[in-house]
Amino acid sequence: MRSNFTKRAHRLAILGLCVAGTAPMSRAQEGATGTSFIETFDRLDTKAWYISDGWNNGAHQNCTWSKRQVKVEEGVLNLTFEKRQSGEREFTCGEIQTRKRYGYGTYEARMKTADGSGLNSAFFTFIGPTDKKPHDEIDFEVLGKDPGKVQLNQYISAKGGNEKLVDVPGGANRAFNDYAFVWEKDRLRYYLNGQMVHEVTDPAKLPVNAQKIFLSLWGTDTLSDWMGKFSVEGPTTMQVDRVAFTAAGDPCQFPESIACTLN
């Protein structure tokens, strides 16, 4: 966890950074309303972020989204899962999402995931029918049953099945790790701690619709084959130190950004 002073210094350092990469990427697609940004969670700007509250995503989710499970402390976003009755569910959980939609570019998050089988700590982008668009999605998901791996996936018009598991040395729940993907019109590259771990070039497996950025922690009693048998003792927290988006062709947003070194 970095101090707020260090985070401010990083923002100032952006002024001296070069434009991301030397080869221009495709322009953002129709519907993208968001521009490049870095979020260091000195506070939670609710004009930029929507906090999910008072509902759930369906029968597979055993918790109710609650704004009480979303807090910013000492420059870190904390999303907490705990046993507390809310609405139809025995547990509560936390999620935030951007109000704007983002297109081609570099997406990055530095996070430490929660403990507990049956939980999902996720950094992803999504758009769907509630926004009058097809279901497109790009995922980093750490399943509590095995925090030594992160699952990558894409949905294109609601079709998934593109999962890939990547090792997270030392465990995603033991330390902060850097997760990033670079989304272009003709390819998608996933990165873990600065190293590319997966590349997708099949047009049928590449999302095309601008999406919102999500950070979420939730649990399940029913998807045990995927997420493991639910077993959570006491509150557990997913922590996010930083999130950034660098639009194609824009200067990178912080010195360690993948976008600073892309070709």
Side-chain angles (χ1 to χ4, degrees):
M1 184 185 309
R2 300 191 310 278
S3 68
N4 288 340
F5 174 82
T6 302
K7 290 186 176 185
R8 288 193 292 271
H10 278 202
R11 286 199 292 271
L12 292 174
I14 293 168
L15 297 175
L17 294 175
C18 296
V19 171
T22 57
M25 291 190 283
S26 302
R27 301 295 296 175
Q29 58 273 57
E30 181 182 354
T33 56
T35 57
S36 298
F37 74 89
I38 179 169
E39 174 62 79
T40 54
F41 295 113
D42 296 321
R43 64 185 183 90
L44 187 60
D45 182 1
T46 54
K47 292 183 179 179
W49 296 96
Y50 171 80
I51 302 174
S52 299
D53 183 57
W55 49 280
N56 61 70
N57 285 0
H60 65 279
Q61 183 174 322
N62 69 358
C63 57
T64 298
W65 300 122
S66 172
K67 61 184 178 182
R68 289 177 54 179
Q69 309 309 129
V70 178
K71 293 182 180 179
V72 166
E73 298 174 323
E74 298 182 352
V76 173
L77 171 69
N78 293 280
L79 302 177
T80 303
F81 184 99
E82 69 174 337
K83 187 173 183 178
R84 180 169 62 82
Q85 186 75 38
S86 179
E88 302 172 341
R89 299 292 186 263
E90 185 180 357
F91 299 90
T92 54
C93 47
E95 176 183 77
I96 65 171
Q97 58 182 276
T98 56
R99 294 185 181 275
K100 293 183 178 181
R101 305 177 191 182
Y102 298 82
Y104 299 132
T106 302
Y107 296 73
E108 303 174 85
R110 180 170 177 79
M111 66 184 190
K112 179 181 178 183
T113 64
D115 294 311
S117 180
L119 296 184
N120 188 325
S121 299
F123 160 52
F124 64 101
T125 57
F126 170 86
I127 202 72
T130 56
D131 296 295
K132 298 181 180 180
K133 288 288 184 179
H135 174 185
D136 277 8
E137 187 171 340
I138 304 172
D139 296 325
F140 279 103
E141 296 175 292
V142 175
L143 310 180
K145 70 175 184 179
D146 185 5
K149 297 183 183 297
V150 59
Q151 179 179 283
L152 321 178
N153 198 13
Q154 309 95 245
Y155 284 82
I156 300 87
S157 295
K159 182 180 179 180
N162 303 304
E163 296 88 349
K164 179 179 175 63
L165 289 174
V166 174
D167 290 336
V168 183
N173 61 334
R174 298 303 179 197
F176 283 91
N177 290 275
D178 294 303
Y179 304 86
F181 63 85
V182 182
W183 180 21
E184 301 171 76
K185 184 177 181 179
D186 58 357
R187 66 175 170 172
L188 176 63
R189 289 171 283 171
Y190 291 91
Y191 292 80
L192 175 63
N193 293 326
Q195 300 297 314
M196 189 174 76
V197 293
H198 187 44
E199 183 176 30
V200 181
T201 57
D202 182 347
K205 297 182 178 181
L206 293 172
V208 297
N209 292 289
Q211 301 172 44
K212 297 177 182 179
I213 302 170
F214 285 72
L215 299 159
S216 72
L217 172 63
W218 60 279
T220 185
D221 295 318
T222 60
L223 302 177
S224 56
D225 288 347
W226 175 42
M227 288 171 51
K229 183 178 179 181
F230 181 75
S231 178
V232 177
E233 296 182 5
T236 183
T237 301
M238 167 185 167
Q239 296 184 298
V240 185
D241 187 44
R242 175 183 63 222
V243 178
F245 168 73
T246 305
D250 278 4
C252 50
Q253 301 299 295
F254 58 99
E256 303 91 344
S257 171
I258 290 295
C260 297
T261 57
L262 288 177
N263 292 320

